[in-house]
């Protein structure tokens, strides 16, 4: 099927319910995150929940990196309270900066996981790079028009993804 190349490895309701301890036990050592609508609403600074998450990841033993198509000013503002690796103007779904993120974290394709809210940039880039990926539902529905348009196509792909999961269960 044409859409399968876009299917995420996993699809969960929120970044904040991902069992990172379990991922660490499975051998993962690095987590790459998109920022907007993955960790906080679009354009928002790091909130308490995000700060706690990055402290928890660090306590578990994870390296982390923010990978954003946004400008540096936006990414720096979010990272001010987090203090992790980051790459701005990432050009997702290009694989170049997924690879650079792993270099910054000292990880590789076998022990890195990617978390993001968009199929055609976040997940597609991670899949093309060969990294395990987790798609999360966007935090906030208010989005820029180009993202709104992409979402309508994403919904078609997710329809087929969910259908395939259901068929596997039967």
């Amino acid at each position: 099927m044409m859409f399968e190349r876009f299917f995420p490895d996993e699809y969960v309701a929120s970044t904040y319910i991902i069992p990172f301890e379990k991922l660490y036990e499975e051998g993962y050592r690095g987590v790459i995150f998109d920022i907007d609508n993955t960790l906080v609403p679009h354009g928002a600074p790091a909130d308490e929940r995000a700060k706690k998450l990055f402290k928890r990841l660090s306590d578990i033993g994870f390296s982390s990196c923010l990978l954003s198509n946004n400008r540096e000013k936006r990414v720096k503002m979010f990272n001010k309270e987090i203090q992790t690796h980051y790459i701005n103007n990432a050009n997702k779904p290009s694989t170049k900066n997924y690879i650079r993120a792993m270099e910054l974290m000292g990880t590789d394709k076998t022990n890195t996981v990617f978390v993001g809210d968009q199929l055609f940039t976040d997940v597609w880039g991670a899949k093309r790079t060969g990294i395990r990926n987790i798609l999360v539902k966007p935090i906030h529905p208010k989005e820029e028009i180009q993202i709104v348009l992409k979402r309508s196509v994403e919904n078609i792909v997710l329809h087929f993804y969910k259908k395939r999961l259901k068929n596997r269960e039967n």
Side-chain angles (χ1 to χ4, degrees):
M1 165 178 277
M2 175 180 116
F3 294 126
E4 284 189 359
R5 75 174 95 176
F6 297 110
F7 287 176
D9 294 335
E10 276 174 79
Y11 183 33
V12 298
S14 161
T15 299
Y16 297 99
I17 64 165
I18 296 170
F20 289 104
E21 290 79 2
K22 187 170 172 279
L23 289 172
Y24 193 86
E25 282 167 25
E26 289 170 13
Y28 290 93
R29 293 297 178 263
V31 190
I32 304 172
F33 290 98
D34 173 53
I35 300 172
D36 285 323
N37 269 333
T38 297
L39 292 164
V40 290
H42 195 83
D47 55 16
E48 282 312 307
R49 204 163 61 149
K51 291 178 211 169
K52 277 192 185 119
L53 175 65
F54 281 88
K55 184 183 182 322
R56 178 176 146 213
L57 289 169
S58 166
D59 290 348
I60 295 169
F62 274 109
S63 293
S64 59
C65 185
L66 305 169
L67 188 64
S68 174
N69 286 349
N70 271 305
R71 292 207 250 341
E72 184 166 30
K73 186 179 173 205
R74 161 68 185 126
V75 180
K76 257 189 156 154
M77 182 263 276
F78 177 84
N79 195 39
K80 204 177 123 201
E81 303 275 346
I82 303 291
Q83 295 298 305
T84 190
H85 300 289
Y86 72 88
I87 298 168
N88 54 277
N89 296 321
N91 274 322
K92 294 178 289 184
S94 164
T95 60
K96 190 182 100 182
N97 285 310
Y98 288 83
I99 293 163
R100 203 169 132 231
M102 289 186 281
E103 286 166 0
L104 289 172
M105 295 187 299
T107 61
D108 60 41
K109 292 173 191 181
T110 66
N111 63 4
T112 303
V113 65
F114 178 87
V115 181
D117 72 303
Q118 290 189 51
L119 274 180
F120 301 124
T121 48
D122 297 333
V123 167
W124 179 227
K127 285 183 82 84
R128 290 176 60 215
T129 310
I131 303 173
R132 178 169 172 185
N133 55 84
I134 302 172
L135 177 70
V136 297
K137 288 191 173 125
I139 289 176
H140 203 280
K142 188 183 164 296
E143 295 180 302
E144 295 164 12
I145 186 67
Q146 71 270 20
I147 296 175
V148 171
L149 296 172
K150 263 194 278 184
R151 293 267 184 232
S152 55
V153 183
E154 282 186 1
N155 287 333
I156 296 166
V157 176
L158 288 171
H159 166 80
F160 287 103
Y161 170 73
K162 289 170 186 168
K163 205 168 149 179
R164 187 169 106 195
L165 288 181
K166 207 171 260 163
N167 290 341
R168 277 197 187 147
E169 288 163 11
N170 297 335

